[in-house]
Amino acid sequence: MDDDWYLQAGSGARFDWGPTGAERLSSAVACLVVVDVLSFTTSVTVAVESGTRVFPYAWRDASASAFADRMDAQLAVGRRMAGSASPWSLSPAALRDAPFTPRLVLPSPNGSAISAAAGGSVVVAGCLRNATAVGRWLARHDYGTLARPVAVIASGERWPDGSLRPALEDLLGAGAVLAALRKRRGGPLSPEAATAAACFEATPDVAAAVTAGASGQELLSGGFPDDVGIATELDASDVVPVLTNGAFTAAG
C-alpha cells in the first residue's frame, strides 16, 4: 500500500490543517498558502500594506527578541503587552495604528511554523481580506495546476494540551482563497479543497459566522473587537504577501 495517500495527488489545489499538514504537503506542491485569519496572516496583510517587511518567527520567547536584533527589526509583542514603548503586536488593529516600521518580526506559533515548514515552496499569506487577490495571483502564475500544485493550509488554533483545534475562521479563509482560484482556473481541486471552497460559498454572512465562532468570541471577550472587524473585511486588500528572503513583502 502506498504511504503517500495524504498528498492529495492528482489535484492542482489541495487543502490541509496546521504545521503538520504543511510539512506533509510541502514536498509535493510548488506553492503553499498560509491562512491564519485571527490573526497572523491578517496582521501580515495590514503590515505589508504599509510597506513593512514582515519576518515570521515561530516562537514567542526570549529568542524572538534576539532574532529581531539580528534582523534589525522591531519585535511585535503579545496583544496585551502593546504600549507606547512597543506599539507593534499580533493585533491587526494595533498594527494599523502603530508608527511605520520598515522591518517587523511577527512571532506566531501557528502561522510562522507553517511558513517554516514550506521547504522550497513559494509561501503566500492569505486571509479573508485578500482572498480574491491571492486566488487571482495564483492563477496568473499558473499555481493550482497539476504541473504547479498549490496547498492551502488552514492554521487552526491550539487546545491547552498543544493539540490542533480546527478553527472556523481559517476554514472559511482557506475556502475563500480556493473558491477564488477555482473561478479563475478549473483546478482540479482535491475533495478536501473543494469542500473547503464549498463551505465558504455556502456561508451567507462570513463576517457574522467568524464573529460568532469560538475564536471570534475569544477575542471579543478579551476586549479586541477591532481585530475581528479587520479580519472580516472580505476582499478589502489587493496585497499578496509573498515570503522572499525570509520576509513577507508585497508581490509585484
Side-chain angles (χ1 to χ4, degrees):
M1 180 178 178
D2 292 339
D3 60 0
D4 59 355
W5 46 266
Y6 52 83
L7 293 178
Q8 301 172 38
S11 301
R14 309 170 189 187
F15 169 76
D16 216 308
W17 286 93
T20 301
E23 183 179 0
R24 289 298 186 97
L25 290 184
S26 63
S27 63
V29 298
C31 180
L32 206 69
V33 179
V34 185
V35 178
D36 188 349
V37 170
L38 296 174
S39 299
F40 174 73
T41 52
T42 296
S43 295
V44 169
T45 64
V46 170
V48 170
E49 280 170 348
S50 72
T52 296
R53 290 172 55 84
V54 178
F55 294 84
Y57 193 69
W59 296 278
R60 290 195 200 125
D61 56 21
S63 68
S65 180
F67 177 73
D69 288 343
R70 291 198 303 274
M71 296 298 104
D72 190 27
Q74 298 290 341
L75 175 65
V77 297
R79 277 187 174 88
R80 298 189 183 280
M81 297 172 62
S84 57
S86 299
W88 305 278
S89 80
L90 191 60
S91 160
L95 287 178
R96 184 172 280 180
D97 293 338
F100 171 75
T101 181
R103 299 163 70 88
L104 180 69
V105 170
L106 197 60
S108 168
N110 287 334
S112 292
I114 291 170
S115 301
S121 300
V122 173
V123 179
V124 176
C127 60
L128 289 168
R129 296 188 75 245
N130 70 345
T132 293
V134 170
R136 185 168 55 237
W137 184 89
L138 292 171
R140 188 167 68 246
H141 292 273
D142 291 328
Y143 293 118
T145 64
L146 290 176
R148 304 187 80 186
V150 60
V152 180
I153 305 295
S155 295
E157 298 292 344
R158 294 287 170 180
W159 290 112
D161 66 0
S163 60
L164 177 72
R165 175 173 71 81
L168 172 64
E169 68 276 6
D170 294 338
L171 173 62
L172 292 172
V177 170
L178 288 160
L181 174 60
R182 182 166 59 183
K183 288 178 181 177
R184 288 156 180 82
R185 182 176 300 284
L189 272 62
S190 71
E192 292 86 350
T195 299
C199 284
F200 168 76
E201 292 170 333
T203 302
D205 190 334
V206 171
V210 172
T211 302
S215 302
Q217 289 299 300
E218 179 185 18
L219 285 180
L220 289 177
S221 64
F224 298 98
D226 290 345
D227 284 354
V228 180
I230 294 172
T232 54
E233 294 173 341
L234 187 61
D235 287 330
S237 177
D238 287 328
V239 167
V240 179
V242 178
L243 193 61
T244 305
N245 297 324
F248 283 105
T249 57

